């Protein structure tokens, strides 16, 4: 336990939407510190990483009160922000929270910058932002290890003066603060009729993007249907201007199984569908934490997750095999889950993830943020 000093913290979020917005608002709501959020709308992510710091620096320079701590997030070019606010930010401790990073995040094959070899700059923004901060927080142990572990090979591609001696200090000031989630708000929408439903419900509750590997997910469902397995399907999640074509194909191919298709317009609708679902097969290529997975598990949905990325960190070692699959095992694990879904409905998955609720995590956050100021 740290002291009881209450801090004034300015939280900088260039991409204020989705999980980033929920995290920022959750921290502000639950923290004993006074959190002031400066933000920009969550769109045009590349431009936010380039220009967001300029806009947020302008907002910061207009503040009348000097905060005790500046807390940026991973979409912020912290070096540019600090340069443009140096008269006002000088002497204020700075921390950065990594929701994701562009060094180990897989790029879309359709991204024009990838073909032009222009993907290094965004990773470099993350790297120098971490170097510039007094403290670096990651949302999972996997995220921390993958980012720090990838830096030596990332720097190796540059011609000289790579300053690899900086990595030791970066590692020493890095720490894990799991993603805080407002899980208890799901409690009001628990579905007491779930036990009466005679067919298992498969769930997708992620973004409609390629890194979640929707093609692999739906191909598994096509096979299940061809083999005569009965199931229903709920497809939720944020959609983009250009969704992977597999979604339209799946909507037609699985039309008889679909209970819901598309973004839930209210939290209540989203929560009720999670409580209604039985099985969450995940095919993601990348997940630094897995907020949508944790939310589904909190609503007692059985997860079938790849044994990689951040997922192993959600389970004690002795039961990981029950929920994590190796390459090539997903089809068999899914079939087994469909055959035993009535039994799976009796398992308490919520107890595995309820420690991510803000009520359980906020004291750790408050102490960690206080410690940055007391460094």
């Amino acid at each position: 336990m740290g002291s009881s000093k209450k801090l004034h913290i300015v939280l900088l979020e260039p991409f204020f939407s989705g999980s980033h917005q929920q995290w920022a608002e959750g921290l502000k709501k639950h923290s004993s510190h006074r959190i002031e959020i400066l933000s920009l709308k969550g769109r045009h992510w590349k431009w936010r990483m380039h220009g967001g710091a300029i806009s947020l620096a302008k907002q910061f320079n207009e503040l009348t009160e000097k905060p005790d701590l500046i807390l940026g997030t991973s979409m912020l070019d912290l070096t540019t922000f600090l340069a443009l606010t140096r008269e006002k930010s000088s002497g204020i401790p700075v921390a950065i929270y990594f929701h994701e990073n562009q060094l180990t995040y897989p790029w879309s094959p359709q991204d024009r910058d990838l073909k032009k070899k222009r993907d290094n700059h965004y990773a470099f923004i993350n790297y120098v932002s971490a170097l510039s901060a007094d403290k670096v927080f990651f949302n999972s142990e996997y995220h921390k290890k993958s980012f720090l572990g990838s830096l030596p090979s990332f720097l190796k591609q540059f011609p000289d003066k790579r300053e690899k001696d900086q990595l030791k200090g970066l590692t020493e000031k890095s720490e894990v603060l799991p993603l805080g989630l407002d899980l208890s708000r799901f409690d009001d929408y628990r579905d007491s009729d779930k036990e009466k439903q005679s067919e298992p419900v498969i769930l997708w509750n992620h973004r409609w993007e390629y890194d979640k590997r929707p093609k692999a997910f739906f191909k598994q469902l096509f096979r299940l249907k061809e083999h005569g397995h009965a199931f229903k399907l709920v497809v939720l999640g944020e959609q983009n201007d250009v969704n992977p074509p597999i979604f339209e194909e799946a909507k037609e191919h699985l039309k008889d199984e679909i209970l819901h298709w598309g973004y839930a317009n209210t939290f209540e609708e989203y929560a009720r569908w999670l409580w209604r679902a039985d099985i969450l097969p995940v095919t993601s290529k990348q997940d630094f934490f897995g907020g949508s997975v944790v939310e589904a598990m909190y609503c007692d949905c059985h997860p079938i997750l790849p044994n990689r990325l951040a997922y192993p960190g959600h389970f004690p070692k002795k039961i990981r095999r029950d929920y994590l699959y190796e390459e090539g095992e997903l089809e068999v694990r899914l079939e087994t889950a469909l055959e035993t879904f009535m039994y799976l409905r009796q398992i308490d998955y919520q107890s595995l993830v309820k420690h991510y609720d803000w009520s359980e995590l906020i004291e750790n956050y408050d102490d960690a943020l206080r410690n940055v100021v007391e460094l």
Side-chain angles (χ1 to χ4, degrees):
M1 283 291 293
S3 67
S4 57
K5 177 178 170 60
K6 184 175 180 178
L7 306 176
H8 173 206
I9 300 171
V10 168
L11 194 164
L12 307 167
E13 179 50 79
F15 203 82
F16 197 61
S17 71
S19 60
H20 287 220
Q21 180 175 349
Q22 290 172 19
W23 176 82
E25 290 176 339
L27 180 58
K28 179 175 181 174
K29 176 183 176 182
H30 296 279
S31 178
S32 63
H33 302 309
R34 179 159 63 95
I35 311 287
E36 184 173 3
I37 300 173
L38 303 183
S39 65
L40 302 169
K41 287 183 179 178
R43 57 191 184 198
H44 317 305
W45 75 264
K46 291 178 184 178
W47 174 230
R48 289 293 182 262
M49 287 195 74
H50 282 295
I54 301 171
S55 301
L56 291 175
K58 182 183 177 185
Q59 290 185 38
F60 183 85
N61 285 329
E62 290 170 354
L63 296 178
T64 55
E65 187 182 348
K66 188 172 182 178
D68 300 302
L69 175 68
I70 295 168
L71 175 61
T73 67
S74 42
M75 294 294 282
L76 177 69
D77 180 351
L78 183 58
T79 56
T80 298
F81 173 84
L82 292 174
L84 294 174
T85 61
R86 59 186 178 274
E87 287 185 16
K88 197 154 194 166
S89 62
S90 178
I92 302 174
V94 181
I96 190 165
Y97 189 88
F98 274 77
H99 289 283
E100 68 281 302
N101 75 82
Q102 300 306 317
L103 174 58
T104 60
Y105 196 101
W107 279 49
S108 167
Q110 282 80 44
D111 198 301
R112 288 172 295 180
D113 280 348
L114 189 65
K115 295 166 187 167
K116 295 177 180 177
K117 307 283 187 186
R118 287 196 303 214
D119 56 333
N120 277 336
H121 188 63
Y122 301 98
F124 203 80
I125 289 175
N126 284 154
Y127 170 54
V128 294
S129 293
L131 282 181
S132 303
D134 298 300
K135 191 74 178 180
V136 183
F137 297 112
F138 291 91
N139 57 0
S140 70
E141 186 64 32
Y142 160 76
H143 192 180
K144 175 186 165 187
K145 285 182 176 178
S146 64
F147 180 74
L148 296 175
S150 296
L151 282 173
S153 58
F154 173 71
L155 294 173
K156 194 175 182 180
Q157 65 187 306
F158 300 113
D160 66 356
K161 296 292 182 183
R162 302 178 187 105
E163 313 299 349
K164 286 190 179 180
D165 58 315
Q166 298 284 318
L167 299 184
K168 185 174 184 291
L170 180 50
T171 300
E172 288 172 351
K173 66 181 181 182
S174 294
E175 184 179 323
V176 175
L177 264 183
L179 190 73
L181 295 165
D182 197 354
L183 296 173
S184 59
R185 64 182 178 153
F186 285 93
D187 295 344
D188 291 338
Y189 306 107
R190 187 164 199 150
D191 185 1
S192 58
D193 293 331
K194 183 172 180 174
E195 302 300 322
K196 301 172 187 174
Q197 308 300 328
S198 59
E199 284 185 305
V201 176
I202 294 174
L203 174 69
W204 168 287
N205 68 326
H206 326 291
R207 287 177 287 107
W208 291 24
E209 290 185 13
Y210 82 100
D211 64 294
K212 301 302 180 185
R213 293 180 68 222
K215 192 170 185 178
F217 174 86
F218 286 117
K219 292 294 185 185
Q220 289 288 348
L221 270 53
F222 296 168
R223 278 197 285 271
L224 289 174
K225 182 172 181 174
E226 287 163 13
H227 294 167
H229 293 281
F231 63 90
K232 293 299 182 185
L233 174 64
V234 170
V235 175
L236 301 161
E238 286 186 85
Q239 298 155 49
N240 303 291
D241 295 335
V242 183
N243 298 314
I246 188 66
F247 280 94
E248 278 306 307
E249 182 185 343
K251 189 177 182 181
E252 175 60 29
H253 197 94
L254 301 169
K255 60 186 177 186
D256 295 332
E257 284 73 30
I258 293 169
L259 294 177
H260 176 86
W261 186 272
Y263 188 72
N265 292 317
T266 64
F267 174 76
E268 178 181 350
E269 184 185 3
Y270 175 72
R272 289 192 186 282
W273 282 122
L274 259 58
W275 283 114
R276 177 68 185 83
D278 292 295
I279 303 165
L280 181 78
V282 171
T283 50
S284 296
K285 186 178 180 182
Q286 184 56 57
D287 224 336
F288 292 114
F289 178 80
S292 59
V293 169
V294 169
E295 288 178 341
M297 287 178 62
Y298 186 84
C299 296
D300 282 339
C301 188
H302 175 76
I304 306 176
L305 312 172
N307 188 19
R308 51 186 172 80
L309 310 177
Y311 305 127
H314 298 318
F315 305 93
K317 283 186 179 179
K318 63 182 180 180
I319 63 168
R320 283 179 184 169
R321 185 64 184 148
D322 295 340
Y323 305 106
L324 304 176
Y325 67 86
E326 303 298 338
E327 197 67 35
E329 289 183 344
L330 178 56
E331 187 171 355
V332 173
R333 298 291 285 270
L334 245 176
E335 288 177 342
T336 302
L338 289 177
E339 291 162 4
T340 60
F341 75 95
M342 293 298 285
Y343 164 73
L344 298 179
R345 284 178 177 175
Q346 312 307 315
I347 298 173
D348 174 19
Y349 303 101
Q350 187 176 112
S351 62
L352 296 171
V353 293
K354 63 182 181 181
H355 60 281
Y356 294 126
D357 188 75
W358 275 117
S359 62
E360 305 257 350
L361 278 177
I362 195 59
E363 202 168 283
N364 293 343
Y365 267 81
D366 282 353
D367 286 349
L369 294 172
R370 192 180 293 113
N371 289 340
V372 181
V373 174
E374 295 174 355
L375 283 174

